Amino acid sequence: MDVVIVGAGAAGLMTALLTARAGHRVTVLEREPLRPAATVEEAAGRAFRPTAPQIVQPHVLLARYRLLLREHLPDVYAGLVGDGAVESRLEAQLPPTLRDLAPEPADDRYTMLLTRRSTLDRVLDARVRAEPGITLHTGATVRGLRTEGGAPPRVTGVRLGDGELAADVVVDASGRRSRIDAWLTATGARPRPVVVADCGLAYYSRHYRLRGPDGLPGRADNRTILPLDEFVAGMWGADNGTVVLGLCPLAEDHRFRVLRDPAVFTAVFDTVPGLRGWLDVLEPISDVFPMGGLHNTLHRLVDHARPVALGIHAVGDGVCTTNPTLARGLGVALRTALDLVEVLDAHPRDPFARALAHDAAITEGVEPFYLDQARTDAARLARVRGVLHERGVLDGPPPAPAAPPPPAPSTGRVGFDELSAAALFDAALFRTATSVRGMLARPEEVYTDPAVVARVRAVQAAHRDGVPAPAQPDPDRLATALACGA
């Protein structure tokens, strides 16, 4: 089949490689005038684009993504490791409360891959440009869809500024800012059904390089995320001795807008007791990168068992976006691309069956993680907003976050926070929690597993005082740090 992919981000390039290697003729259209990067640092130096601000934010390749990448795109995996990506094994991910983890034969499945997103994109770009069966057009802006009449309409290609391009299948890989809804509406198709839940955070991150291997305050082959009372702070190891530090306040907390100033970013990060030591061993190599407007979203191209259009599919952020803190975006991108290749093979001549099959795969492999993230964020938002209202930072009553309602309280179910807290003291639960974070297991199946519930309750009974909260920034120091940008 002739497949046109709109967008040359990670989702689009992975989809291109997988579909071309499955025997299809692939054309990738990218509106940005992208060019190959000769080195990893060249790629990092020009990674920031206003149309794709997520590229310079913290990334990790979760355990499930790593396993799928190694199985289905082994040359990409080898290229990443060759370009300096770091394997973060289970022992590197241990919390300070759990240092006696006995190795088990299956522990390799929990390994993450740490890298800057620009390094991943460089490797994918090089593989796509060298792949027979793929044509990459950059500087190509899609204006709309080429369709045949019908209910639903059938997509037969795309309209460009200088003509049309025919295709058997069109894949939207243009990300969270996709124009697909406008394109569909222009054809007479129904809009995509969507559910949305605000993750509530703004992101401010800065890239650094380790000054040396000695005197580190923790392991650089890991990520550490601290959910503090008023904001989230984190350290993400990356490739080639680089580290990304991040501060994530509520988007509505306007005090933190001054974090764009590198001096203020440093001063605020220096107030975080559990992470400030990293500033002593790191040299900044970038500006501060902001990113806002973040939502958990789940889009479908099937509504009430009826496709909104035929011959069109979506992958990656065009299907689902989630709070970047848990780094599930790349895993969703690869999962939706692999599912698409499977349905193209299973239904080569039936676009209706293809649409239903791809949607069913989203229900099975993506929706559980969307729901988990939306519910986790809703609980976190409620806690932080409550603190900020109590301290007079925010005015008025705390708004109720828009999110799927949580399951009714039950002695037969635990939540993400309960599992994560118990995992700090129990090796088996640590592996279980890691499997949820790494997308190796469907969250709700874990939360309702009787053996998991019983073990969490036993740990809770043994640690009735709960988990010590992370040390909080001194309020006066934080106020002084934020005032640096006034």
Short mmCIF file of all heavy atoms in Angstrom, two decimals, residues 32 56 94 141 145 148 169 185 199 235 260 310 316 332-333 364 428 433 449 480 484-485:
data_model
loop_
_atom_site.label_atom_id
_atom_site.label_comp_id
_atom_site.label_asym_id
_atom_site.label_seq_id
_atom_site.Cartn_x
_atom_site.Cartn_y
_atom_site.Cartn_z
N GLU A 32 8.40 21.39 8.87
CA GLU A 32 9.65 22.07 9.23
C GLU A 32 10.75 21.68 8.24
O GLU A 32 10.82 20.53 7.80
CB GLU A 32 10.08 21.68 10.65
CG GLU A 32 9.12 22.11 11.73
CD GLU A 32 9.19 23.57 12.04
OE1 GLU A 32 10.16 24.24 11.62
OE2 GLU A 32 8.26 24.09 12.70
N VAL A 56 12.79 19.38 23.88
CA VAL A 56 13.88 19.74 24.78
C VAL A 56 13.53 19.50 26.25
O VAL A 56 14.33 19.81 27.14
CB VAL A 56 14.29 21.21 24.58
CG1 VAL A 56 14.97 21.40 23.24
CG2 VAL A 56 13.09 22.14 24.68
N LEU A 94 16.60 2.06 42.56
CA LEU A 94 16.17 1.78 43.92
C LEU A 94 16.03 3.05 44.75
O LEU A 94 16.87 3.94 44.68
CB LEU A 94 17.18 0.86 44.61
CG LEU A 94 17.24 -0.59 44.14
CD1 LEU A 94 18.34 -1.32 44.90
CD2 LEU A 94 15.92 -1.28 44.33
N THR A 141 3.89 21.38 3.76
CA THR A 141 2.75 21.67 4.64
C THR A 141 1.48 21.06 4.08
O THR A 141 1.09 21.33 2.94
CB THR A 141 2.55 23.19 4.79
OG1 THR A 141 3.74 23.76 5.35
CG2 THR A 141 1.37 23.49 5.72
N LEU A 145 -7.28 17.12 3.54
CA LEU A 145 -7.38 15.73 3.11
C LEU A 145 -8.03 15.63 1.74
O LEU A 145 -8.95 16.40 1.42
CB LEU A 145 -8.19 14.93 4.12
CG LEU A 145 -7.65 14.88 5.55
CD1 LEU A 145 -8.64 14.20 6.46
CD2 LEU A 145 -6.29 14.17 5.59
N GLU A 148 -12.93 10.81 -1.05
CA GLU A 148 -14.07 10.41 -1.87
C GLU A 148 -15.32 10.55 -1.01
O GLU A 148 -15.27 10.43 0.21
CB GLU A 148 -13.93 8.95 -2.33
CG GLU A 148 -12.78 8.70 -3.28
CD GLU A 148 -12.65 7.22 -3.63
OE1 GLU A 148 -13.36 6.41 -2.98
OE2 GLU A 148 -11.85 6.89 -4.51
N VAL A 169 -3.48 4.92 2.52
CA VAL A 169 -3.63 5.16 3.95
C VAL A 169 -2.92 6.47 4.30
O VAL A 169 -1.78 6.70 3.86
CB VAL A 169 -3.01 4.02 4.79
CG1 VAL A 169 -3.07 4.34 6.28
CG2 VAL A 169 -3.72 2.71 4.50
N THR A 185 -13.40 18.01 9.42
CA THR A 185 -14.60 18.82 9.30
C THR A 185 -14.80 19.32 7.87
O THR A 185 -15.92 19.34 7.35
CB THR A 185 -14.54 20.01 10.27
OG1 THR A 185 -14.44 19.51 11.60
CG2 THR A 185 -15.79 20.88 10.16
N CYS A 199 -3.59 18.20 33.20
CA CYS A 199 -2.54 17.72 34.11
C CYS A 199 -2.08 18.83 35.04
O CYS A 199 -1.47 18.58 36.07
CB CYS A 199 -1.36 17.14 33.33
SG CYS A 199 -0.14 18.32 32.77
N MET A 235 15.25 15.38 38.51
CA MET A 235 16.54 15.21 37.86
C MET A 235 16.43 14.00 36.95
O MET A 235 15.99 12.93 37.37
CB MET A 235 17.65 15.02 38.90
CG MET A 235 18.97 14.49 38.36
SD MET A 235 18.98 12.67 38.40
CE MET A 235 20.50 12.35 37.50
N ARG A 260 11.84 31.28 33.80
CA ARG A 260 12.50 31.41 32.49
C ARG A 260 13.89 32.02 32.63
O ARG A 260 14.76 31.80 31.79
CB ARG A 260 11.66 32.30 31.57
CG ARG A 260 10.31 31.71 31.17
CD ARG A 260 9.46 32.77 30.49
NE ARG A 260 8.16 32.26 30.07
CZ ARG A 260 7.88 31.85 28.85
NH1 ARG A 260 8.81 31.90 27.91
NH2 ARG A 260 6.68 31.39 28.54
N LEU A 310 -12.72 6.91 6.76
CA LEU A 310 -11.97 5.70 6.40
C LEU A 310 -10.65 6.08 5.77
O LEU A 310 -10.51 7.14 5.16
CB LEU A 310 -12.80 4.86 5.43
CG LEU A 310 -14.17 4.40 5.92
CD1 LEU A 310 -14.90 3.64 4.82
CD2 LEU A 310 -14.05 3.55 7.17
N GLY A 316 0.79 8.10 18.19
CA GLY A 316 1.47 8.99 19.11
C GLY A 316 0.54 9.99 19.77
O GLY A 316 -0.57 9.66 20.21
N VAL A 332 3.57 5.19 24.10
CA VAL A 332 2.30 5.24 23.37
C VAL A 332 2.57 5.36 21.87
O VAL A 332 1.91 4.71 21.05
CB VAL A 332 1.44 6.41 23.86
CG1 VAL A 332 0.27 6.68 22.91
CG2 VAL A 332 0.92 6.13 25.27
N ALA A 333 3.56 6.18 21.51
CA ALA A 333 3.87 6.37 20.09
C ALA A 333 4.26 5.05 19.43
O ALA A 333 3.74 4.69 18.35
CB ALA A 333 4.99 7.39 19.93
N GLU A 364 -7.29 -1.30 24.22
CA GLU A 364 -6.55 -2.31 24.96
C GLU A 364 -5.22 -1.81 25.49
O GLU A 364 -4.86 -2.09 26.64
CB GLU A 364 -6.32 -3.52 24.03
CG GLU A 364 -5.53 -4.66 24.65
CD GLU A 364 -6.34 -5.51 25.59
OE1 GLU A 364 -7.56 -5.33 25.67
OE2 GLU A 364 -5.72 -6.35 26.26
N ALA A 428 9.17 -6.96 46.30
CA ALA A 428 8.19 -7.45 45.32
C ALA A 428 7.30 -6.32 44.84
O ALA A 428 7.00 -6.20 43.64
CB ALA A 428 7.36 -8.57 45.94
N ALA A 433 5.39 -1.93 41.21
CA ALA A 433 5.21 -0.51 40.92
C ALA A 433 6.03 -0.09 39.70
O ALA A 433 5.57 0.71 38.87
CB ALA A 433 5.60 0.33 42.13
N ASP A 449 -5.36 -6.63 41.83
CA ASP A 449 -4.82 -7.98 42.02
C ASP A 449 -4.85 -8.31 43.51
O ASP A 449 -4.23 -7.61 44.32
CB ASP A 449 -3.38 -8.02 41.50
CG ASP A 449 -2.76 -9.40 41.59
OD1 ASP A 449 -3.07 -10.15 42.54
OD2 ASP A 449 -1.92 -9.73 40.73
N THR A 480 12.45 34.23 48.47
CA THR A 480 13.62 35.03 48.08
C THR A 480 14.11 34.64 46.69
O THR A 480 14.45 35.50 45.86
CB THR A 480 14.74 34.87 49.10
OG1 THR A 480 14.30 35.31 50.39
CG2 THR A 480 15.97 35.66 48.69
N CYS A 484 14.05 36.96 42.89
CA CYS A 484 15.20 37.32 42.06
C CYS A 484 14.76 37.79 40.68
O CYS A 484 15.48 38.54 40.01
CB CYS A 484 16.15 36.13 41.89
SG CYS A 484 17.00 35.64 43.40
N GLY A 485 13.60 37.30 40.24
CA GLY A 485 13.14 37.65 38.90
C GLY A 485 12.15 38.78 38.87
O GLY A 485 11.61 39.12 37.81
#
